[in-house]
Amino acid sequence: MLEETRPRLLVHWEQEDVRARARESGLAALVLHLALVIMVLISPRFFYATPLSAAELAERDVTVLYLPSDVVPVPEPKTPSDLTPEERRR
């Protein structure tokens, strides 16, 4: 059986290439986090939207997707005299 009581780790921190890789990844993480913090402090307009004024909304091309039923005019049904012979067969 196993005589050694300590767990055997796959990473040997004593090796120079492992230490260099860990140092580089730590430095890269530090630089990226600092860049993110600086970006948040310098330009907060990227992270929240300002409400638009009525004039700005009027300038935009807005498409109405839904109209309430009381606004849409309902056509009156055709009387039998207005129907064509084809429509009368239906």
Side-chain angles (χ1 to χ4, degrees):
M1 296 263 191
L2 292 175
E3 296 176 14
E4 195 173 307
T5 58
R6 294 185 318 183
R8 296 185 67 177
L9 301 176
L10 296 177
V11 176
H12 299 286
W13 292 103
E14 298 85 28
Q15 295 176 356
E16 184 60 34
D17 59 337
V18 174
R19 287 191 357 227
R21 195 175 325 130
R23 189 172 42 245
E24 288 174 5
S25 63
L27 184 61
L30 179 70
V31 168
L32 289 175
H33 280 89
L34 283 175
L36 182 64
V37 168
I38 289 171
M39 189 174 72
V40 167
L41 292 175
I42 291 177
S43 57
R45 64 185 172 100
F46 290 128
F47 299 101
Y48 68 91
T50 57
L52 298 176
S53 67
E56 291 172 337
L57 285 175
E59 290 176 5
R60 290 188 174 194
D61 185 23
V62 179
T63 303
V64 178
L65 300 177
Y66 171 75
L67 287 176
S69 60
D70 59 341
V71 176
V72 179
V74 178
E76 295 182 17
K78 293 183 178 179
T79 59
S81 62
D82 295 338
L83 295 175
T84 63
E86 202 173 279
E87 291 174 336
R88 287 185 191 142
R89 289 186 210 136
R90 291 184 192 172

